[in-house]
Amino acid sequence: MGSFGLAVACFAGMGCQDPCVALAERICNCEADLSERQGCRQERIQAQQGKTPTAEEQEVCTAALDLCTCEALRQNRFDLCGYTRDTLEPPTEDGS
């Protein structure tokens, strides 16, 4: 799909959300109740606002969208959601 086709797809609502924002939404949707989901969204979405992810960060988020599930989070498999260790912070460019 050329850039024009991509732009048309975006405007048609075919999913042009930033992959890191989409990943944050997915993670927050796994919270146990509405209050926790809202707190998670506020924290994670606000962290994304005003920040332009690098191409590398977007690739990590895009790949994590294929693997990140609520079950993975319940099993503490944060690596499948693009995070390292138990910090729940996106990996830095040097991989730490």
Side-chain angles (χ1 to χ4, degrees):
M1 181 181 313
S3 60
F4 177 74
L6 181 59
V8 171
C10 287
F11 289 114
M14 293 180 62
C16 286
Q17 183 179 30
D18 178 288
C20 294
V21 173
L23 181 59
E25 282 286 335
R26 177 170 298 168
I27 290 168
C28 291
N29 284 337
C30 293
E31 293 292 342
D33 61 40
L34 180 60
S35 176
E36 290 179 9
R37 285 189 293 274
Q38 288 174 333
C40 177
R41 281 190 184 96
Q42 184 175 8
E43 179 181 320
R44 292 188 183 277
I45 301 304
Q46 284 182 354
Q48 295 290 329
Q49 290 177 346
K51 178 183 172 191
T52 303
T54 65
E56 182 179 330
E57 289 170 329
Q58 287 193 343
E59 286 178 25
V60 168
C61 292
T62 299
L65 282 169
D66 290 334
L67 303 171
C68 184
T69 64
C70 294
E71 183 61 28
L73 291 169
R74 280 192 290 276
Q75 295 176 0
N76 295 322
R77 293 294 314 270
F78 302 117
D79 57 311
L80 296 178
C81 294
Y83 293 93
T84 57
R85 298 185 201 93
D86 57 354
T87 62
L88 290 184
E89 292 297 322
T92 59
E93 288 187 29
D94 65 5
S96 61

PDB file of all heavy atoms in Angstrom, residues 24-31 33-49:
ATOM      1  N   ALA A  24       0.369   0.055  25.306  1.00  0.00           N
ATOM      2  CA  ALA A  24       0.006   0.554  26.636  1.00  0.00           C
ATOM      3  C   ALA A  24      -1.467   0.281  26.918  1.00  0.00           C
ATOM      4  O   ALA A  24      -1.839  -0.157  28.016  1.00  0.00           O
ATOM      5  CB  ALA A  24       0.311   2.045  26.744  1.00  0.00           C
ATOM      6  N   GLU A  25      -2.323   0.507  25.927  1.00  0.00           N
ATOM      7  CA  GLU A  25      -3.755   0.230  26.080  1.00  0.00           C
ATOM      8  C   GLU A  25      -3.985  -1.251  26.352  1.00  0.00           C
ATOM      9  O   GLU A  25      -4.784  -1.614  27.222  1.00  0.00           O
ATOM     10  CB  GLU A  25      -4.528   0.642  24.823  1.00  0.00           C
ATOM     11  CG  GLU A  25      -4.785   2.117  24.716  1.00  0.00           C
ATOM     12  CD  GLU A  25      -5.858   2.605  25.672  1.00  0.00           C
ATOM     13  OE1 GLU A  25      -6.731   1.822  26.096  1.00  0.00           O
ATOM     14  OE2 GLU A  25      -5.821   3.795  26.014  1.00  0.00           O
ATOM     15  N   ARG A  26      -3.305  -2.102  25.616  1.00  0.00           N
ATOM     16  CA  ARG A  26      -3.473  -3.547  25.799  1.00  0.00           C
ATOM     17  C   ARG A  26      -3.070  -3.950  27.222  1.00  0.00           C
ATOM     18  O   ARG A  26      -3.761  -4.721  27.880  1.00  0.00           O
ATOM     19  CB  ARG A  26      -2.642  -4.321  24.786  1.00  0.00           C
ATOM     20  CG  ARG A  26      -2.770  -5.828  25.024  1.00  0.00           C
ATOM     21  CD  ARG A  26      -2.189  -6.653  23.938  1.00  0.00           C
ATOM     22  NE  ARG A  26      -2.880  -6.393  22.695  1.00  0.00           N
ATOM     23  CZ  ARG A  26      -2.425  -6.807  21.522  1.00  0.00           C
ATOM     24  NH1 ARG A  26      -1.317  -7.491  21.440  1.00  0.00           N
ATOM     25  NH2 ARG A  26      -3.091  -6.544  20.422  1.00  0.00           N
ATOM     26  N   ILE A  27      -1.941  -3.443  27.679  1.00  0.00           N
ATOM     27  CA  ILE A  27      -1.466  -3.764  29.020  1.00  0.00           C
ATOM     28  C   ILE A  27      -2.476  -3.291  30.068  1.00  0.00           C
ATOM     29  O   ILE A  27      -2.813  -4.025  30.998  1.00  0.00           O
ATOM     30  CB  ILE A  27      -0.070  -3.153  29.254  1.00  0.00           C
ATOM     31  CG1 ILE A  27       0.961  -3.893  28.386  1.00  0.00           C
ATOM     32  CG2 ILE A  27       0.315  -3.191  30.730  1.00  0.00           C
ATOM     33  CD1 ILE A  27       2.304  -3.210  28.295  1.00  0.00           C
ATOM     34  N   CYS A  28      -2.972  -2.083  29.900  1.00  0.00           N
ATOM     35  CA  CYS A  28      -3.935  -1.536  30.865  1.00  0.00           C
ATOM     36  C   CYS A  28      -5.246  -2.308  30.853  1.00  0.00           C
ATOM     37  O   CYS A  28      -5.886  -2.453  31.907  1.00  0.00           O
ATOM     38  CB  CYS A  28      -4.171  -0.056  30.594  1.00  0.00           C
ATOM     39  SG  CYS A  28      -2.723   0.972  30.979  1.00  0.00           S
ATOM     40  N   ASN A  29      -5.646  -2.800  29.713  1.00  0.00           N
ATOM     41  CA  ASN A  29      -6.890  -3.579  29.639  1.00  0.00           C
ATOM     42  C   ASN A  29      -6.806  -4.883  30.424  1.00  0.00           C
ATOM     43  O   ASN A  29      -7.823  -5.510  30.699  1.00  0.00           O
ATOM     44  CB  ASN A  29      -7.262  -3.865  28.181  1.00  0.00           C
ATOM     45  CG  ASN A  29      -7.841  -2.662  27.493  1.00  0.00           C
ATOM     46  OD1 ASN A  29      -8.364  -1.753  28.137  1.00  0.00           O
ATOM     47  ND2 ASN A  29      -7.739  -2.622  26.183  1.00  0.00           N
ATOM     48  N   CYS A  30      -5.608  -5.279  30.811  1.00  0.00           N
ATOM     49  CA  CYS A  30      -5.421  -6.510  31.583  1.00  0.00           C
ATOM     50  C   CYS A  30      -5.567  -6.286  33.086  1.00  0.00           C
ATOM     51  O   CYS A  30      -5.558  -7.252  33.852  1.00  0.00           O
ATOM     52  CB  CYS A  30      -4.053  -7.112  31.287  1.00  0.00           C
ATOM     53  SG  CYS A  30      -3.889  -7.713  29.589  1.00  0.00           S
ATOM     54  N   GLU A  31      -5.686  -5.042  33.503  1.00  0.00           N
ATOM     55  CA  GLU A  31      -5.844  -4.755  34.934  1.00  0.00           C
ATOM     56  C   GLU A  31      -7.155  -5.350  35.434  1.00  0.00           C
ATOM     57  O   GLU A  31      -8.116  -5.501  34.683  1.00  0.00           O
ATOM     58  CB  GLU A  31      -5.798  -3.251  35.196  1.00  0.00           C
ATOM     59  CG  GLU A  31      -4.442  -2.630  34.928  1.00  0.00           C
ATOM     60  CD  GLU A  31      -3.365  -3.073  35.914  1.00  0.00           C
ATOM     61  OE1 GLU A  31      -3.681  -3.578  37.004  1.00  0.00           O
ATOM     62  OE2 GLU A  31      -2.185  -2.895  35.576  1.00  0.00           O
ATOM     63  N   ASP A  33      -9.616  -4.363  37.554  1.00  0.00           N
ATOM     64  CA  ASP A  33     -10.889  -3.645  37.635  1.00  0.00           C
ATOM     65  C   ASP A  33     -10.782  -2.278  36.970  1.00  0.00           C
ATOM     66  O   ASP A  33      -9.707  -1.849  36.572  1.00  0.00           O
ATOM     67  CB  ASP A  33     -11.374  -3.536  39.087  1.00  0.00           C
ATOM     68  CG  ASP A  33     -10.420  -2.772  39.989  1.00  0.00           C
ATOM     69  OD1 ASP A  33      -9.854  -1.743  39.563  1.00  0.00           O
ATOM     70  OD2 ASP A  33     -10.233  -3.211  41.136  1.00  0.00           O
ATOM     71  N   LEU A  34     -11.917  -1.614  36.868  1.00  0.00           N
ATOM     72  CA  LEU A  34     -11.997  -0.337  36.158  1.00  0.00           C
ATOM     73  C   LEU A  34     -11.061   0.705  36.759  1.00  0.00           C
ATOM     74  O   LEU A  34     -10.366   1.418  36.034  1.00  0.00           O
ATOM     75  CB  LEU A  34     -13.435   0.174  36.150  1.00  0.00           C
ATOM     76  CG  LEU A  34     -13.679   1.504  35.442  1.00  0.00           C
ATOM     77  CD1 LEU A  34     -13.281   1.411  33.979  1.00  0.00           C
ATOM     78  CD2 LEU A  34     -15.140   1.907  35.570  1.00  0.00           C
ATOM     79  N   SER A  35     -11.008   0.777  38.065  1.00  0.00           N
ATOM     80  CA  SER A  35     -10.159   1.759  38.732  1.00  0.00           C
ATOM     81  C   SER A  35      -8.690   1.544  38.384  1.00  0.00           C
ATOM     82  O   SER A  35      -7.965   2.492  38.073  1.00  0.00           O
ATOM     83  CB  SER A  35     -10.368   1.678  40.247  1.00  0.00           C
ATOM     84  OG  SER A  35      -9.493   2.544  40.909  1.00  0.00           O
ATOM     85  N   GLU A  36      -8.258   0.290  38.416  1.00  0.00           N
ATOM     86  CA  GLU A  36      -6.867  -0.026  38.075  1.00  0.00           C
ATOM     87  C   GLU A  36      -6.592   0.245  36.602  1.00  0.00           C
ATOM     88  O   GLU A  36      -5.512   0.721  36.249  1.00  0.00           O
ATOM     89  CB  GLU A  36      -6.543  -1.474  38.426  1.00  0.00           C
ATOM     90  CG  GLU A  36      -6.481  -1.712  39.917  1.00  0.00           C
ATOM     91  CD  GLU A  36      -6.193  -3.167  40.276  1.00  0.00           C
ATOM     92  OE1 GLU A  36      -5.870  -3.963  39.364  1.00  0.00           O
ATOM     93  OE2 GLU A  36      -6.289  -3.495  41.463  1.00  0.00           O
ATOM     94  N   ARG A  37      -7.553  -0.067  35.732  1.00  0.00           N
ATOM     95  CA  ARG A  37      -7.379   0.196  34.297  1.00  0.00           C
ATOM     96  C   ARG A  37      -7.242   1.699  34.052  1.00  0.00           C
ATOM     97  O   ARG A  37      -6.392   2.130  33.284  1.00  0.00           O
ATOM     98  CB  ARG A  37      -8.533  -0.382  33.493  1.00  0.00           C
ATOM     99  CG  ARG A  37      -8.463  -1.892  33.350  1.00  0.00           C
ATOM    100  CD  ARG A  37      -9.481  -2.434  32.369  1.00  0.00           C
ATOM    101  NE  ARG A  37     -10.849  -2.296  32.806  1.00  0.00           N
ATOM    102  CZ  ARG A  37     -11.507  -3.153  33.577  1.00  0.00           C
ATOM    103  NH1 ARG A  37     -10.905  -4.250  34.005  1.00  0.00           N
ATOM    104  NH2 ARG A  37     -12.758  -2.947  33.916  1.00  0.00           N
ATOM    105  N   GLN A  38      -8.073   2.492  34.719  1.00  0.00           N
ATOM    106  CA  GLN A  38      -8.004   3.943  34.532  1.00  0.00           C
ATOM    107  C   GLN A  38      -6.686   4.504  35.046  1.00  0.00           C
ATOM    108  O   GLN A  38      -6.081   5.360  34.405  1.00  0.00           O
ATOM    109  CB  GLN A  38      -9.191   4.621  35.224  1.00  0.00           C
ATOM    110  CG  GLN A  38     -10.495   4.383  34.500  1.00  0.00           C
ATOM    111  CD  GLN A  38     -11.701   4.938  35.249  1.00  0.00           C
ATOM    112  OE1 GLN A  38     -11.702   5.053  36.469  1.00  0.00           O
ATOM    113  NE2 GLN A  38     -12.735   5.283  34.496  1.00  0.00           N
ATOM    114  N   GLY A  39      -6.231   4.027  36.203  1.00  0.00           N
ATOM    115  CA  GLY A  39      -4.953   4.472  36.746  1.00  0.00           C
ATOM    116  C   GLY A  39      -3.801   4.110  35.835  1.00  0.00           C
ATOM    117  O   GLY A  39      -2.891   4.914  35.602  1.00  0.00           O
ATOM    118  N   CYS A  40      -3.847   2.908  35.308  1.00  0.00           N
ATOM    119  CA  CYS A  40      -2.821   2.445  34.380  1.00  0.00           C
ATOM    120  C   CYS A  40      -2.805   3.317  33.126  1.00  0.00           C
ATOM    121  O   CYS A  40      -1.748   3.775  32.695  1.00  0.00           O
ATOM    122  CB  CYS A  40      -3.086   0.988  34.012  1.00  0.00           C
ATOM    123  SG  CYS A  40      -1.932   0.301  32.801  1.00  0.00           S
ATOM    124  N   ARG A  41      -3.978   3.554  32.568  1.00  0.00           N
ATOM    125  CA  ARG A  41      -4.058   4.376  31.347  1.00  0.00           C
ATOM    126  C   ARG A  41      -3.516   5.772  31.611  1.00  0.00           C
ATOM    127  O   ARG A  41      -2.759   6.307  30.800  1.00  0.00           O
ATOM    128  CB  ARG A  41      -5.490   4.463  30.850  1.00  0.00           C
ATOM    129  CG  ARG A  41      -5.920   3.247  30.103  1.00  0.00           C
ATOM    130  CD  ARG A  41      -7.256   3.463  29.402  1.00  0.00           C
ATOM    131  NE  ARG A  41      -7.653   2.231  28.794  1.00  0.00           N
ATOM    132  CZ  ARG A  41      -8.480   1.347  29.352  1.00  0.00           C
ATOM    133  NH1 ARG A  41      -9.016   1.587  30.518  1.00  0.00           N
ATOM    134  NH2 ARG A  41      -8.776   0.228  28.730  1.00  0.00           N
ATOM    135  N   GLN A  42      -3.918   6.357  32.736  1.00  0.00           N
ATOM    136  CA  GLN A  42      -3.461   7.701  33.041  1.00  0.00           C
ATOM    137  C   GLN A  42      -1.937   7.738  33.113  1.00  0.00           C
ATOM    138  O   GLN A  42      -1.304   8.602  32.530  1.00  0.00           O
ATOM    139  CB  GLN A  42      -4.070   8.175  34.356  1.00  0.00           C
ATOM    140  CG  GLN A  42      -3.717   9.598  34.697  1.00  0.00           C
ATOM    141  CD  GLN A  42      -4.428  10.074  35.939  1.00  0.00           C
ATOM    142  OE1 GLN A  42      -5.082   9.327  36.647  1.00  0.00           O
ATOM    143  NE2 GLN A  42      -4.302  11.354  36.210  1.00  0.00           N
ATOM    144  N   GLU A  43      -1.369   6.765  33.794  1.00  0.00           N
ATOM    145  CA  GLU A  43       0.085   6.713  33.960  1.00  0.00           C
ATOM    146  C   GLU A  43       0.791   6.433  32.637  1.00  0.00           C
ATOM    147  O   GLU A  43       1.707   7.138  32.236  1.00  0.00           O
ATOM    148  CB  GLU A  43       0.440   5.621  34.970  1.00  0.00           C
ATOM    149  CG  GLU A  43       1.922   5.470  35.210  1.00  0.00           C
ATOM    150  CD  GLU A  43       2.196   4.356  36.206  1.00  0.00           C
ATOM    151  OE1 GLU A  43       1.454   4.228  37.197  1.00  0.00           O
ATOM    152  OE2 GLU A  43       3.155   3.607  35.970  1.00  0.00           O
ATOM    153  N   ARG A  44       0.354   5.398  31.926  1.00  0.00           N
ATOM    154  CA  ARG A  44       1.047   4.982  30.705  1.00  0.00           C
ATOM    155  C   ARG A  44       0.802   5.910  29.528  1.00  0.00           C
ATOM    156  O   ARG A  44       1.717   6.226  28.788  1.00  0.00           O
ATOM    157  CB  ARG A  44       0.668   3.563  30.329  1.00  0.00           C
ATOM    158  CG  ARG A  44       1.205   2.564  31.311  1.00  0.00           C
ATOM    159  CD  ARG A  44       0.996   1.146  30.812  1.00  0.00           C
ATOM    160  NE  ARG A  44       1.465   0.219  31.797  1.00  0.00           N
ATOM    161  CZ  ARG A  44       2.731  -0.144  31.935  1.00  0.00           C
ATOM    162  NH1 ARG A  44       3.639   0.336  31.129  1.00  0.00           N
ATOM    163  NH2 ARG A  44       3.087  -0.984  32.874  1.00  0.00           N
ATOM    164  N   ILE A  45      -0.432   6.344  29.350  1.00  0.00           N
ATOM    165  CA  ILE A  45      -0.736   7.213  28.211  1.00  0.00           C
ATOM    166  C   ILE A  45      -0.091   8.575  28.417  1.00  0.00           C
ATOM    167  O   ILE A  45       0.468   9.156  27.484  1.00  0.00           O
ATOM    168  CB  ILE A  45      -2.250   7.327  27.987  1.00  0.00           C
ATOM    169  CG1 ILE A  45      -2.864   5.943  27.741  1.00  0.00           C
ATOM    170  CG2 ILE A  45      -2.561   8.271  26.833  1.00  0.00           C
ATOM    171  CD1 ILE A  45      -2.265   5.147  26.608  1.00  0.00           C
ATOM    172  N   GLN A  46      -0.126   9.074  29.650  1.00  0.00           N
ATOM    173  CA  GLN A  46       0.526  10.356  29.911  1.00  0.00           C
ATOM    174  C   GLN A  46       2.023  10.252  29.669  1.00  0.00           C
ATOM    175  O   GLN A  46       2.648  11.199  29.208  1.00  0.00           O
ATOM    176  CB  GLN A  46       0.239  10.833  31.333  1.00  0.00           C
ATOM    177  CG  GLN A  46      -1.149  11.391  31.476  1.00  0.00           C
ATOM    178  CD  GLN A  46      -1.437  11.908  32.883  1.00  0.00           C
ATOM    179  OE1 GLN A  46      -0.646  11.754  33.789  1.00  0.00           O
ATOM    180  NE2 GLN A  46      -2.601  12.515  33.042  1.00  0.00           N
ATOM    181  N   ALA A  47       2.608   9.110  29.977  1.00  0.00           N
ATOM    182  CA  ALA A  47       4.036   8.911  29.733  1.00  0.00           C
ATOM    183  C   ALA A  47       4.344   8.960  28.237  1.00  0.00           C
ATOM    184  O   ALA A  47       5.438   9.373  27.833  1.00  0.00           O
ATOM    185  CB  ALA A  47       4.497   7.584  30.326  1.00  0.00           C
ATOM    186  N   GLN A  48       3.395   8.552  27.399  1.00  0.00           N
ATOM    187  CA  GLN A  48       3.598   8.538  25.946  1.00  0.00           C
ATOM    188  C   GLN A  48       3.380   9.918  25.330  1.00  0.00           C
ATOM    189  O   GLN A  48       3.943  10.222  24.286  1.00  0.00           O
ATOM    190  CB  GLN A  48       2.635   7.548  25.278  1.00  0.00           C
ATOM    191  CG  GLN A  48       2.861   6.118  25.643  1.00  0.00           C
ATOM    192  CD  GLN A  48       4.137   5.550  25.064  1.00  0.00           C
ATOM    193  OE1 GLN A  48       4.577   5.945  23.999  1.00  0.00           O
ATOM    194  NE2 GLN A  48       4.732   4.632  25.779  1.00  0.00           N
ATOM    195  N   GLN A  49       2.545  10.747  25.956  1.00  0.00           N
ATOM    196  CA  GLN A  49       2.218  12.048  25.386  1.00  0.00           C
ATOM    197  C   GLN A  49       3.444  12.942  25.346  1.00  0.00           C
ATOM    198  O   GLN A  49       4.225  12.984  26.289  1.00  0.00           O
ATOM    199  CB  GLN A  49       1.092  12.712  26.171  1.00  0.00           C
ATOM    200  CG  GLN A  49      -0.226  12.024  25.990  1.00  0.00           C
ATOM    201  CD  GLN A  49      -1.338  12.627  26.818  1.00  0.00           C
ATOM    202  OE1 GLN A  49      -1.114  13.402  27.723  1.00  0.00           O
ATOM    203  NE2 GLN A  49      -2.559  12.252  26.501  1.00  0.00           N
TER     204      GLN A  49
END
